[in-house]
Amino acid sequence: MNVQEHLTSEQALWANQMTAKIIEKLLVVRERSAVKIPSGAIDGVHDNKLTEQGPLGRTKTFWTNGFWAGILWQLYSVTQDMRYAEIARYTEDILHDCLSEATGLATHDIGYLFLPSSVLDYKLTGSKHALNDASVAANLLAGRFNPVGNYIRAWNGKTLPGFAPGDSEMHTAGVAIIDCMLNLPLLYWASEITEDPRYRHIAMKHADMAIKNFIWEDGSVIHIVEFDPETSAYVSDFGGQGYQKGSSWARGQVWSLYGFTASYKHTQKQEYLETAKKIAAYFLSNIPDNGLIPEDFCQPAEPWVQDDIAACAASCGLIELAGLVHEKEGRTYLEAALNMLRAIDEKSADWSLGTDGITMRGSTAYHVRDRVHGWNKNYIYADYFFIEAVLKLKGQGVCIW
Ligand code: GLY
């Protein structure tokens, strides 16, 4: 269905008001953070991944380092204000360096790094430099494919801290994670640009593998699966950033919901659409009445751990999915997305011009509670997806996924 035609005039007005607020705030924030790559705001001030070393380590290649550029490029797309482009390219110049240092640093998150930065730059400006960087990134992602298990390897070296209790150390050569579903659009993009189907074939093999190994019958998903990288035999699955093994990490639901929606959009394979709908049905049936999303749908009632990142990214996925289905289903997805976005605006957003973040209650992992990556704080990717969702409601911005 056509999303814009189905918004009520009041909903359309709300989306316009949000856009105005976003632009008003970003005009100030962009100058304060012009020479930073923020991963979020602490006490109202953007941190800088280039100078600060958080407990999760890594600076230049920290997996969310593409999202600040993504915010700037999305706003460039609606304003044509070159200052957004200038600041976004500050990030891109630094990410460019990462490509030449990539051995051992690049992970599957190279999609999250380069889709909102170089791919978006290329889509908007045709920059040859951005095209080159995004193409190298796509090749690095494709190079992580294991043809024995048909999965894209997630990480290198040791696993990150903060996983669910009982998660043992994994052999990362055999580890695939559900988050990778939203890295696949880098491969779809590469096939479209090069007219070479190999990238798409790899993406589809991974998506097919995910359907078999990550999605439960009820539409809930597993965060992490370990395979034997020599034989493809299943070794174990893990609760990862969720509450525990077998629980339902909300952001895992979201990466798969949006990832299968994107995979359907790029390939027209019906099974991907059916999978996206199944995950969406589970997600919708678990949204609390107040529209605020928990870190894990199976977490205990207390303490309340909220994840605005999941709410915002799910809204993007649902609005995109609404555009691919018939009216009855589409309306349900659209209303759920609006419910979550409005809940963020009313109960979680900070529109003050003196602070750098917008969404105030994201959480990266149920078992991580430190000041930098802990509970109920601002994260750059929550803000990115909030902005993407609002623009998507208006039929504006650029879909990079
Ligand atoms: N992709 C990692 C996360 O969602 O935290």
Side-chain angles (χ1 to χ4, degrees):
M1 73 175 206
N2 181 312
V3 168
Q4 284 72 50
E5 282 173 10
H6 285 84
L7 286 183
T8 64
S9 52
E10 192 273 330
Q11 289 165 338
L13 181 65
W14 179 82
N16 284 337
Q17 285 168 343
M18 282 301 104
T19 307
K21 280 183 162 186
I22 289 165
I23 291 174
E24 186 189 19
K25 180 152 181 157
L26 262 295
L27 278 172
V28 199
V29 176
R30 72 180 189 188
E31 300 306 329
R32 283 198 293 262
S33 300
V35 288
K36 286 181 177 178
I37 303 188
S39 72
I42 300 169
D43 299 331
V45 179
H46 269 160
D47 66 0
N48 184 3
K49 269 293 168 199
L50 298 178
T51 55
E52 292 167 21
Q53 181 83 9
L56 297 186
R58 299 173 305 175
T59 51
K60 280 188 181 178
T61 53
F62 188 67
W63 81 275
T64 64
N65 279 3
F67 286 105
W68 174 228
I71 288 175
L72 298 162
W73 281 122
Q74 293 291 3
L75 292 177
Y76 169 83
S77 80
V78 287
T79 61
Q80 302 300 308
D81 176 346
M82 275 309 290
R83 181 69 180 141
Y84 287 115
E86 269 169 39
I87 304 173
R89 286 194 173 136
Y90 172 79
T91 291
E92 280 173 50
D93 286 346
I94 289 158
L95 291 185
H96 172 79
D97 289 348
C98 301
L99 290 172
S100 54
E101 300 168 10
T103 320
L105 288 179
T107 69
H108 77 128
D109 284 325
I110 201 146
Y112 288 107
L113 283 166
F114 282 86
L115 282 159
S117 55
S118 302
V119 170
L120 191 43
D121 181 349
Y122 173 69
K123 284 185 184 229
L124 287 166
T125 71
S127 158
K128 290 272 184 303
H129 189 66
L131 171 65
N132 189 56
D133 282 1
S135 305
V136 175
N139 279 291
L140 286 167
L141 183 58
R144 302 188 68 79
F145 183 68
N146 181 333
V148 172
N150 286 323
Y151 62 86
I152 292 173
R153 175 180 178 174
W155 300 310
N156 309 326
K158 293 224 157 71
T159 51
L160 303 175
F163 283 164
D167 282 7
S168 61
E169 202 165 272
M170 313 150 200
H171 182 0
T172 58
V175 167
I177 70 174
I178 197 64
D179 319 36
C180 192
M181 284 305 304
L182 207 53
N183 283 317
L184 301 185
L186 182 61
L187 300 176
Y188 295 128
W189 171 83
S191 268
E192 284 153 23
I193 286 294
T194 58
E195 298 181 7
D196 180 337
R198 287 176 303 152
Y199 304 96
R200 187 181 69 246
H201 291 323
I202 289 175
M204 291 177 78
K205 294 248 184 249
H206 182 93
D208 294 345
M209 177 287 303
I211 291 175
K212 287 197 193 81
N213 293 287
F214 281 83
I215 320 292
W216 296 109
E217 207 32 60
D218 66 355
S220 65
V221 306
I222 297 170
H223 184 191
I224 302 171
V225 177
E226 181 185 351
F227 301 99
D228 182 324
E230 294 288 0
T231 66
S232 84
Y234 165 94
V235 176
S236 189
D237 60 85
F238 301 90
Q241 285 161 261
Y243 173 57
Q244 63 183 14
K245 183 177 165 91
S247 69
S248 180
W249 180 46
R251 220 155 58 252
Q253 299 295 134
V254 172
W255 300 144
S256 54
L257 190 170
Y258 205 176
F260 278 106
T261 301
S263 285
Y264 172 68
K265 195 179 72 178
H266 289 286
T267 67
Q268 300 300 303
K269 184 167 172 171
Q270 200 62 26
E271 197 181 4
Y272 298 157
L273 181 63
E274 297 313 320
T275 305
K277 286 188 195 177
K278 187 161 131 179
I279 299 163
Y282 177 90
F283 192 93
L284 263 56
S285 68
N286 280 283
I287 299 178
D289 289 342
N290 64 8
L292 298 170
I293 302 303
E295 179 71 17
D296 191 310
F297 287 123
C298 302
Q299 72 189 31
E302 294 291 336
W304 169 250
V305 187
Q306 186 168 315
D307 188 16
D308 290 351
I309 316 161
C312 296
S315 300
C316 291
L318 289 168
I319 299 166
E320 194 70 26
L321 188 56
L324 298 170
V325 296
H326 294 299
E327 189 178 328
K328 188 162 173 286
E329 280 172 308
R331 274 183 189 277
T332 312
Y333 299 146
L334 186 57
E335 289 304 323
L338 278 158
N339 181 26
M340 288 188 283
L341 293 170
R342 295 183 81 144
I344 299 258
D345 173 37
E346 285 158 23
K347 299 173 189 132
S348 182
D350 177 357
W351 293 112
S352 135
L353 303 186
T355 54
D356 294 342
I358 297 176
T359 61
M360 286 298 119
R361 306 228 186 294
S363 305
T364 56
Y366 187 86
H367 296 281
V368 174
R369 302 183 197 188
D370 64 74
R371 195 161 164 272
V372 180
H373 292 99
W375 289 357
N376 301 329
K377 66 175 286 288
N378 171 256
Y379 289 99
I380 198 76
Y381 55 132
D383 288 1
Y384 171 83
F385 284 110
F386 184 82
I387 293 168
E388 184 190 298
V390 168
L391 296 181
K392 215 184 260 301
L393 286 173
K394 289 156 55 84
Q396 294 181 339
V398 180
C399 190
I400 50 178
W401 313 105

